[in-house]
């Protein structure tokens, strides 16, 4: 099933009048997942008419301010809107205390349950076993503990081979088990293998988010084969030494990871404010990997099995 990724902020460090720090909204299997929550995230959600009341899961990569300074504002607005549904926040262990201190200082007793799920930056973890989507955290290499996230659709049920099912006279009540992969036993006791009655389901789609991080091949197995990979690309080749000092990546680094992980498309972001256009980032990335999109504010990337295309909202 198709999914879409809306880039709310693609700048690093400081926002400008038109650029926002990292935030993305992923809509996968009718669920909304907010990934990082930089300053201005809330305004960007409103600008894009996102259904904010449908956000139940927020994922924070690390505790540099450009990735979560919008979070307390969003949590507070949900309260003012009399939200009642539980909000799940996944992020570094210290995040819970940071948010609780702010809520206590303002004597805010939230109208809804807020549940924190601490992430660990030393191994891949399965952090959300959802009904329709699985989420994994991925260790990154940065100045402080930082994780990426991978979102994978749950596998669909097997597709019934209608002709075969009717030929064998499989009862309606047995068809669900076929879709779950079981063989079928006829009333005469004959076992018909599942593959004679069903076809493989549509393969699940996936999205991986890697920010912030220096070039690290350790991330490749975790993001291998994803349909869309976001990888930070703060710098271009000219600032290679700065990338190393600050533990960030260049556009070429991001593209090398995309190529080695054999993903379908790479999206860049987290640009340093020194660059006025994305041209050099794109050119340098395409030296290593052809399918590159420059992530920018309000760009919506639509991903399905046949195509990946971006629309400026
Ligand atoms: Zn950052
Ligand atoms: Zn950072």
């Amino acid at each position: 099933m198709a999914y879409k990724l809306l880039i709310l902020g693609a700048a690093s460090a400081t926002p400008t009048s038109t650029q926002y720090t990292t935030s993305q909204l992923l809509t996968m299997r009718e669920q909304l997942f907010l990934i990082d929550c930089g300053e201005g995230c809330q305004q960007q959600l409103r600008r894009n008419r996102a259904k904010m009341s449908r956000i139940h899961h927020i994922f924070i990569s690390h505790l540099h301010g450009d990735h979560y300074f919008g979070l307390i504002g969003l949590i507070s607005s949900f309260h003012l809107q009399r939200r009642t549904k539980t909000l799940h926040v996944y992020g570094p262990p210290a995040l819970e205390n940071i948010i609780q201190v702010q809520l206590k200082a303002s004597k805010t007793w939230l109208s809804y349950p807020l549940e924190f799920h601490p992430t660990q930056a030393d191994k891949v973890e399965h952090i959300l076993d959802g009904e329709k989507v699985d989420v994994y955290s991925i260790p990154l290499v940065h100045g402080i503990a930082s994780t990426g996230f991978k979102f994978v659709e749950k596998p669909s049920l097997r597709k019934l081979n209608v002709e075969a099912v009717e030929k064998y006279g499989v009862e309606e009540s047995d068809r669900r088990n076929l879709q779950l992969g079981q063989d079928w036993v006829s009333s005469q006791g004959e076992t018909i293998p599942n593959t004679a009655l069903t076809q493989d389901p549509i393969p699940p789609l996936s999205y991986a988010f890697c920010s912030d991080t220096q070039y690290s091949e350790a991330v490749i197995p975790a993001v291998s084969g994803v349909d869309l990979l976001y990888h930070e690309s703060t710098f271009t080749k000219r600032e290679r030494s700065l990338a190393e000092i600050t533990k960030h990546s260049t556009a070429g680094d991001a593209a090398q990871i995309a190529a080695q992980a054999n993903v379908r498309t790479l999206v860049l972001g987290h640009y340093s404010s020194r660059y006025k256009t994305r041209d050099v980032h794109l050119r340098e990335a395409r030296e290593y990997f052809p399918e590159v999109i420059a992530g920018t504010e309000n760009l919506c990337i639509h991903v399905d099995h046949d195509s990946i295309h971006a629309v400026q909202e």
Side-chain angles (χ1 to χ4, degrees):
M1 210 177 280
Y3 71 79
K4 61 181 184 181
L5 180 75
L6 175 64
I7 310 285
L8 300 167
S12 69
T14 50
T16 68
S17 59
T18 54
Q19 288 164 16
Y20 294 83
T21 51
T22 306
S23 293
Q24 302 182 354
L25 185 67
L26 174 69
T27 306
M28 186 180 264
R29 293 270 172 99
E30 289 99 41
Q31 283 184 284
L32 269 52
F33 301 101
L34 186 64
I35 310 166
D36 277 346
C37 189
E39 194 179 340
C41 168
Q42 204 177 152
Q43 288 90 327
Q44 281 290 81
L45 287 168
R46 290 185 199 285
R47 182 201 175 278
N48 285 283
R49 295 189 183 82
K51 296 262 180 291
M52 288 165 64
S53 61
R54 286 181 49 210
I55 297 174
H56 304 308
H57 302 274
I58 300 178
F59 300 85
I60 302 295
S61 61
H62 67 300
L63 294 181
H64 282 151
D66 55 327
H67 296 260
Y68 82 101
F69 279 175
L71 183 59
I72 185 65
L74 188 59
I75 286 173
S76 176
S77 292
F78 282 152
H79 169 68
L80 295 171
Q81 290 156 0
R82 300 262 165 266
R83 178 190 174 104
T84 53
K85 292 217 169 98
T86 301
L87 180 66
H88 297 272
V89 177
Y90 304 76
L95 182 61
E96 176 167 12
N97 197 36
I98 292 169
I99 296 299
Q100 295 299 359
V101 162
Q102 295 178 86
L103 293 174
K104 266 185 207 146
S106 59
K107 293 197 169 27
T108 302
W109 314 111
L110 292 177
S111 63
Y112 60 93
L114 180 58
E115 262 186 46
F116 286 91
H117 304 265
T119 52
Q120 306 301 329
D122 55 356
K123 60 177 191 298
V124 173
E125 280 194 306
H126 187 189
I127 55 172
L128 173 61
D129 182 7
E131 203 182 306
K132 297 175 179 170
V133 176
D134 284 309
V135 187
Y136 301 84
S137 61
I138 305 166
L140 301 175
V141 184
H142 193 42
I144 59 172
S146 180
T147 66
F149 300 103
K150 180 167 73 169
F151 301 79
V152 187
E153 293 179 335
K154 288 270 197 214
S156 308
L157 294 174
R158 295 187 64 78
K159 281 195 289 190
L160 290 177
N161 179 340
V162 180
E163 240 173 65
V165 163
E166 280 172 8
K167 187 181 111 192
Y168 285 103
V170 180
E171 300 281 339
E172 198 70 45
S173 55
D174 288 346
R175 293 185 183 185
R176 172 97 185 159
N177 285 342
L178 284 182
Q179 291 188 287
L180 292 169
Q182 293 178 15
D183 294 336
W184 180 72
V185 182
S186 71
S187 50
Q188 287 83 41
E190 190 191 355
T191 298
I192 312 296
N194 187 278
T195 47
L197 298 163
T198 67
Q199 292 157 351
D200 286 341
I202 302 163
L205 291 169
S206 53
Y207 169 59
F209 167 89
C210 290
S211 175
D212 294 356
T213 186
Q214 66 177 45
Y215 177 81
S216 166
E217 291 177 1
V219 83
I220 293 168
V223 304
S224 175
V226 296
D227 295 280
L228 184 67
L229 170 69
Y230 165 83
H231 194 293
E232 74 122 292
S233 55
T234 311
F235 297 111
T236 62
K237 211 156 41 181
R238 208 179 55 187
E239 277 72 43
R240 149 71 45 212
S241 58
L242 202 51
E244 278 166 21
I245 294 164
T246 57
K247 295 199 188 317
H248 282 296
S249 299
T250 64
D253 290 339
Q256 286 181 66
I257 296 295
Q260 292 172 82
N262 201 21
V263 307
R264 281 173 66 197
T265 295
L266 168 69
V267 55
L268 302 175
H270 199 265
Y271 314 106
S272 159
S273 59
R274 77 191 61 231
Y275 308 107
K276 299 300 164 231
T277 72
R278 310 301 168 221
D279 299 350
V280 181
H281 282 81
L282 280 172
R283 195 175 61 231
E284 291 187 1
R286 286 181 179 141
E287 285 172 21
Y288 300 96
F289 188 74
E291 297 300 325
V292 188
I293 295 171
T296 49
E297 280 72 12
N298 311 313
L299 188 75
C300 191
I301 303 170
H302 297 256
V303 177
D304 65 29
H305 287 92
D306 303 321
S307 73
I308 296 179
H309 67 278
V311 179
Q312 191 70 45
E313 299 284 337

